[in-house]
Amino acid sequence: MKKPQGFTVHDIARLAGVSAMTVSRTLNHPEKVSPAVLARVREVVARTGFVPNGMARGLRSSKARLVAAVLPTLVGPVFQETVRALNEALDEQGYQLMIGQSGYDASREDALLDAIIRRRPDGIVLTGIMHSPEGRRQLLASGIPVVETWDLTPTPIDMLVGFSHERIGQSVCHFLYSRGYRHPALISADDDRARRRIEGFQGMSRTLGLDAAPTHLVPAPTTLGSGRAGLAAVLAAHPHTDAVFCSSDMLALGVLIEAQARGLAVPRQLGVVGLGDLDLAASLQPALTTVRIDGTRIGRTAAQYIVERAEGRSVSEPIVDIGFEIIERASA
Amino acid sequence: MKKPQGFTVHDIARLAGVSAMTVSRTLNHPEKVSPAVLARVREVVARTGFVPNGMARGLRSSKARLVAAVLPTLVGPVFQETVRALNEALDEQGYQLMIGQSGYDASREDALLDAIIRRRPDGIVLTGIMHSPEGRRQLLASGIPVVETWDLTPTPIDMLVGFSHERIGQSVCHFLYSRGYRHPALISADDDRARRRIEGFQGMSRTLGLDAAPTHLVPAPTTLGSGRAGLAAVLAAHPHTDAVFCSSDMLALGVLIEAQARGLAVPRQLGVVGLGDLDLAASLQPALTTVRIDGTRIGRTAAQYIVERAEGRSVSEPIVDIGFEIIERASA
DNA sequence: CTGAAAGCGCTAACAA
DNA sequence: TTGTTAGCGCTTTCAG
């Protein structure tokens, strides 16, 4: 298998009648090259379609201009905003984003981490915090800047941009109570962060003198269908449920549809709160009350932290809680 | 800035009392190393947390074990299945997937292509076909295997796994006609592929002796909100519209919600057809009739083609039309 | 402003 | 089975 078009800096140098070093400078520090030479080299580059080999550059300069992000699920609305913002911010600074999917499975996660570390990215963005001790060790040992996101922990690996899931649970419970609901239930994904929201919710529910909220767990990723089925299940077991906190807007949409199919009036007979504030939330009928997390800010901040580090500067406030907000619309 | 933990094969070799080559072999061809040495080297690797430098490996062996995918929008439900399948299939073969977002903008696309080609991936998967002549040239010149997807063209750059958008338009128009609808309208994203579906639809509509279908264009990405607004606009201009073909399921969901808000019975007074067969389609009330594209097959096939090429084999049938299917449910 | 030498970390090819 | 040599393509460093 022959490489069809294997141009190197040397080829370009020869064709332009200069040294390889000058080609390299033309590409990376054009201000240090005389205009005449610059034009000549550029002409050859354009004519040949030469694209320098980034692996060689990275190897020599130990700057890959690459940032890796680890997502539990590759695509799906939840981290959409974060990833978009991350990608945009990095792109502006000349960095490429590489995305890896961890699944919700821990053993695959270590393999993924290995694949990532091999490429020596300038930074790694994790959605969620890293629990596997082996993963932590690898990350720490690699010396690569790491930003954990979408969660809080007293023991971050390195940097952190997140918020408290427990506090979300508390706030939503309190919000529902303040709206007059006394028999709330939970329909929730079965993952670690969702579980902490549930704990927060139940804690507050105890504080307010309510019964423990019935909880219906659904497998991740959450879908509209599991929202419908979830409401059906909850209502079957606890007929006087008067409100539901869903762990995603999709789930909430399912609940809304199922409620409608059953002739249950929202928000009068059933309050519904989602999580995520997807763009569909505002367009629903009734518009969905939901918890908004500023994913854009998470992504942008993570990008900024990593670029700072990659350029050798230090980050002054490497651990931030960006909080969240309950967007009150019409469904609760 | 010192590299905190810069182990190399040489360090590991010294610690294990062997040569660097033996460390390399332990990592890549363990069967060619004696059990005793293997164990010793592995112990050192585990103890130090050594992860080999993939850039160096890639440079030397010109195999990056990397595949790049270009998506118009980074995340979003449309290519979800394709990307997931692509990632899974590549992962099984030991390849990493890198994702780049082109936006719907052509100038950024060339820059992205450049960033991708620099890394010398073993393959590039494009969603949609490459129109920019400059992009084609770059791709061709790079000699990297390319798979274009989600579309058909008589002049692919290299390999192709797609289907005909025009034919989708024709089929949906015919389907609606056969269901008795005589005044269909289109609510569609304003992009190239969507436009070809519209042309197909209008062509068939002429053939069937229908008036040209009113068309309402919405900006990409499509949202539930623009579906609602779209139906309102269509109805305002063309009150006796009796069916709508939406260019995504999200749009269709918006149409369903708007129809409900207006007391329009679906499918009796208004037929609704979506595109994508998202998992929510089946769970809606009424369940959504939609066009299903086998994204999993696209992703898997693309992965297979690229791996074949990367391993030096040739692909026997490098251009496939995987077709599509209208899933008849309750909304039309 | 330009060039020559050296080497980043790894592995293909050959030798022992 | 193991080791030695060389060099992938680039850029850092140092001279001119």
Side-chain angles (χ1 to χ4, degrees), chain A residues 88-108:
Chain A
E88 255 175 47
L90 289 173
D91 188 82
E92 278 165 22
Q93 311 270 355
Y95 288 73
Q96 263 279 119
L97 179 65
M98 150 178 286
I99 291 176
Q101 178 179 23
S102 62
Y104 286 90
D105 163 9
S107 77
R108 270 188 40 81

Side-chain angles (χ1 to χ4, degrees), chain B residues 162-313:
Chain B
F163 54 90
S164 164
H165 291 267
E166 196 165 358
R167 225 140 53 201
I168 287 180
Q170 293 167 5
S171 297
V172 171
C173 181
H174 189 270
F175 169 80
L176 253 14
Y177 186 88
S178 74
R179 284 290 211 239
Y181 298 104
R182 290 295 178 270
H183 300 285
L186 295 155
I187 299 179
S188 173
D190 188 11
D191 70 52
D192 177 64
R193 288 187 289 278
R195 241 170 277 131
R196 266 174 298 121
R197 288 193 297 268
I198 295 174
E199 282 164 27
F201 195 102
Q202 302 291 26
M204 177 58 75
S205 147
R206 232 171 293 127
T207 304
L208 295 170
L210 264 34
D211 293 336
T215 299
H216 179 84
L217 295 179
V218 302
T222 56
T223 64
L224 190 154
S226 37
R228 289 193 71 164
L231 179 62
V234 165
L235 254 23
H238 306 273
H240 52 264
T241 295
D242 62 359
V244 190
F245 174 33
C246 302
S247 80
S248 79
D249 283 357
M250 264 303 159
L251 239 28
L253 173 53
V255 166
L256 246 30
I257 288 177
E258 183 63 22
Q260 191 155 48
R262 288 162 176 262
L264 270 172
V266 174
R268 202 173 49 74
Q269 294 171 279
L270 187 76
V272 181
V273 176
L275 178 78
D277 195 27
L278 301 189
D279 58 24
L280 61 79
S283 306
L284 295 177
Q285 186 80 19
L288 184 67
T289 292
T290 189
V291 178
R292 163 149 185 77
I293 286 115
D294 190 346
T296 298
R297 182 159 164 220
I298 294 181
R300 269 212 303 260
T301 308
Q304 183 202 326
Y305 283 6
I306 286 192
V307 171
E308 294 285 303
R309 283 288 200 79
E311 324 257 287
R313 295 186 293 271

Side-chain angles (χ1 to χ4, degrees), chain B residues 66-72 79 82-83 86-87 90 97-100 102 109 112-113 116 121-130 139 144-150 159-161 298-307:
Chain B
L66 209 214
V67 172
V70 179
L71 304 176
F79 304 115
T82 301
V83 176
L86 186 62
N87 186 51
L90 289 173
L97 179 65
M98 148 177 287
I99 292 175
S102 62
E109 186 157 86
L112 176 62
L113 236 38
I116 287 173
D122 300 304
I124 299 178
V125 177
L126 261 24
T127 44
I129 58 182
M130 173 62 60
L139 249 12
I144 299 170
V146 173
V147 184
E148 287 163 290
T149 64
W150 279 83
M159 299 177 279
L160 178 69
V161 186
I298 294 181
R300 269 212 303 260
T301 308
Q304 183 202 326
Y305 283 6
I306 286 192
V307 171

Side-chain angles (χ1 to χ4, degrees), chain A residues 64-70 86-87 89-91 93-100 116 119-126 144-147 299 302-307 310, chain B residues 96 98-99 119:
Chain A
R65 305 229 115 213
L66 210 216
V67 172
V70 178
L86 186 62
N87 186 49
L90 289 173
D91 188 82
Q93 311 270 355
Y95 288 73
Q96 263 279 119
L97 179 65
M98 150 178 286
I99 291 176
I116 287 174
R119 307 218 181 258
R120 302 291 191 267
D122 300 303
I124 299 178
V125 177
L126 262 24
I144 299 170
V146 172
V147 183
Q304 183 202 327
Y305 283 6
I306 287 197
V307 171
Chain B
Q96 264 280 118
M98 148 177 287
I99 292 175
R119 307 214 182 262

Side-chain angles (χ1 to χ4, degrees), chain A residues 6-329:
Chain A
F7 285 110
T8 73
V9 278
H10 288 97
D11 298 323
I12 306 304
R14 194 163 13 78
L15 290 170
V18 296
S19 76
M21 233 359 265
T22 300
V23 175
S24 171
R25 276 194 278 257
T26 301
L27 265 18
N28 303 306
H29 306 285
E31 75 284 0
K32 296 187 173 172
V33 178
S34 72
V37 174
L38 193 74
R40 195 142 41 87
V41 174
R42 282 193 168 154
E43 188 276 319
V44 176
V45 168
R47 183 156 50 78
T48 54
F50 171 65
V51 177
N53 186 319
M55 291 191 286
R57 178 202 301 230
L59 183 56
R60 183 64 247 235
S61 61
S62 47
K63 304 206 91 221
R65 305 229 115 213
L66 210 216
V67 172
V70 178
L71 304 176
T73 163
L74 203 46
V75 270
V78 187
F79 304 116
Q80 186 158 9
E81 220 187 305
T82 302
V83 175
R84 198 187 28 66
L86 186 62
N87 186 49
E88 255 175 47
L90 289 173
D91 188 82
E92 278 165 22
Q93 311 270 355
Y95 288 73
Q96 263 279 119
L97 179 65
M98 150 178 286
I99 291 176
Q101 178 179 23
S102 62
Y104 286 90
D105 163 9
S107 77
R108 270 188 40 81
E109 187 156 85
D110 288 350
L112 176 62
L113 237 38
D114 198 273
I116 287 174
I117 293 173
R118 270 167 206 256
R119 307 218 181 258
R120 302 291 191 267
D122 300 303
I124 299 178
V125 177
L126 262 24
T127 43
I129 57 181
M130 174 62 60
H131 296 291
S132 139
E134 179 53 23
R136 290 183 70 96
R137 218 176 62 96
Q138 270 197 301
L139 249 13
L140 245 9
S142 75
I144 299 170
V146 172
V147 183
E148 287 163 291
T149 64
W150 279 82
D151 208 340
L152 247 34
T153 165
T155 55
I157 296 176
D158 185 359
M159 299 176 280
L160 179 70
V161 185
F163 54 90
S164 164
H165 290 268
E166 197 165 357
R167 224 139 53 200
I168 287 180
Q170 293 167 3
S171 297
V172 172
C173 181
H174 188 270
F175 169 80
L176 252 14
Y177 186 88
S178 75
R179 285 289 210 241
Y181 299 104
R182 291 296 179 270
H183 300 285
L186 295 155
I187 299 179
S188 173
D190 188 12
D191 70 52
D192 177 64
R193 288 187 289 276
R195 241 170 278 129
R196 266 176 296 124
R197 288 192 298 268
I198 295 174
E199 282 163 27
F201 195 103
Q202 301 292 25
M204 176 59 73
S205 140
R206 231 171 291 125
T207 304
L208 296 171
L210 263 34
D211 294 336
T215 300
H216 179 84
L217 295 179
V218 304
T222 56
T223 65
L224 190 155
S226 37
R228 289 193 70 166
L231 179 61
V234 164
L235 253 24
H238 307 272
H240 52 264
T241 295
D242 62 0
V244 191
F245 175 33
C246 301
S247 79
S248 80
D249 283 356
M250 264 302 157
L251 239 28
L253 173 53
V255 165
L256 245 31
I257 288 177
E258 183 62 23
Q260 191 155 49
R262 289 166 176 258
L264 270 172
V266 174
R268 201 174 48 74
Q269 295 171 281
L270 187 75
V272 181
V273 176
L275 178 78
D277 194 26
L278 301 189
D279 58 22
L280 61 80
S283 307
L284 294 177
Q285 186 81 22
L288 185 66
T289 292
T290 189
V291 178
R292 164 150 185 78
I293 286 117
D294 191 345
T296 297
R297 180 161 165 218
I298 294 181
R300 266 213 303 261
T301 308
Q304 183 202 327
Y305 283 6
I306 287 197
V307 171
E308 293 286 302
R309 283 288 200 81
E311 324 256 288
R313 295 185 292 271
S314 81
V315 173
S316 58
E317 197 61 78
I319 300 186
V320 302
D321 178 351
I322 66 154
F324 57 89
E325 192 186 349
I326 296 181
I327 309 285
E328 306 184 21
R329 287 196 271 246

